[in-house]
Amino acid sequence: GRYFGAAIAAGRLGDATYTRILTTEFNAVTPENEMKWDATEPSQGRFTYTNGDRILNQGLSNGSKVRGHALLWHAQQPGWAQALSGTALRNAALNHVTQVATHYKGKIYAWDVVNEAFADGGSGARRDSNLQRTGNDWIEAAFRAARAADPGAKLCYNDYNTDGINAKSTGIYNMVRDFKSRGVPIDCVGFQSHLGTGIDSSYQANLQRFADLGVDVQITELDVEQGGNQATIYSTVTKACLAVSRCTGITVWGIRDSDSWRTGANPLLFDNSGNK
Ligand code: G3I
């Protein structure tokens, strides 16, 4: 069966309403921030897993899947990594992938190995970043390092504004097709789905075209702006996932509206008091 997950924060696990909803309504968790580079390697070579382990153990103790998020990303890098470039950055990034994936080896259902590496707009190109400037092969190098460290985890590429057939999702589609043809280890693509008041009519067709490449697809960070169509959009996304056999699960990006990064948008499934 498909999983239904929530992004959670270690600092909220002491909130009884929050954990009641988490344990009764969900069977997967994603750390909202606790496994990111700045959190896990605040100074180079010194790894801190306390909060990431809290999320992991919350999930495992509840029999839930744990999605790891995210090994490499242009944002939320520790200051020391932001200051690196070239070979020094490449080596540091791959070491980060290896160390973190090894720490969590055997425990993670799927890792977002690389997050948000494509540009917005019509180019379909990679996003400029310090990581991209180390060479266009940085993404495949990261996937190979992750596979070597934890062969049991599904390895995902994850991005936003890919919630339909458009230039950005097509750029990613072409990368995944290339990876599959050359044997670069990639198992899944995450569609964040931070949605506004509308949804692209090609949402399901887009999931399907990726699935047809031979990867799983997952909805990884779903939230929908409050407004006339919120319930309909949640329904459309859910039905799209159910209609695509390789759509393995849906994760919402928080539990209550008050837990959301989208302040004022009330984009989640539970209100501030924890009511559905
Ligand atoms: O924990 C510190 C706290 O100690 C400090 O006092 C406070 C003041 O700035 O900051 C707190 O850290 C914040 C952290 O969230 C925890 O609340 C960071 O500043 C803030 O930048 C961080 O925001 C996160 C954001 O990623 C960072 O880019 C959001 O919670 C998180 O929901 C968001 O998630 C991203 C996904 O990882 C990738 N896709 C998009 C999504 C939404 O932006």
Side-chain angles (χ1 to χ4, degrees), residues 32-33 36 69 73 76 115-116 192 194 221 253 261:
E32 188 170 349
N33 289 296
K36 292 172 179 174
H69 173 83
W73 186 22
Q76 274 180 289
N115 192 44
E116 302 177 4
Q192 293 184 12
H194 294 294
E221 303 184 14
W253 205 241
W261 69 293

Side-chain angles (χ1 to χ4, degrees), residues 36-49 77-82 84 92 95-96 99-100:
K36 292 172 179 174
W37 198 350
D38 61 348
T40 52
E41 196 180 1
S43 61
Q44 188 167 12
R46 193 176 63 78
F47 291 84
T48 57
Y49 295 114
Q77 294 181 3
W80 65 264
Q82 293 176 38
L84 294 181
N95 182 59
H96 180 76
Q99 295 298 324
V100 177

Side-chain angles (χ1 to χ4, degrees), residues 134-191:
T134 69
N136 204 51
D137 63 340
W138 73 276
I139 296 181
E140 62 192 83
F143 275 82
R144 291 187 200 280
R147 179 70 97 226
D150 185 357
K154 290 183 184 293
L155 305 182
C156 302
Y157 176 81
N158 189 53
D159 215 325
Y160 68 94
N161 284 350
T162 53
D163 314 303
I165 296 175
N166 57 41
K168 185 174 179 180
S169 64
T170 298
I172 296 162
Y173 177 88
N174 290 337
M175 178 187 75
V176 174
R177 188 174 55 185
D178 171 56
F179 281 10
K180 295 298 282 185
S181 75
R182 291 189 295 111
V184 178
I186 184 166
D187 305 304
C188 37
V189 175
F191 299 83

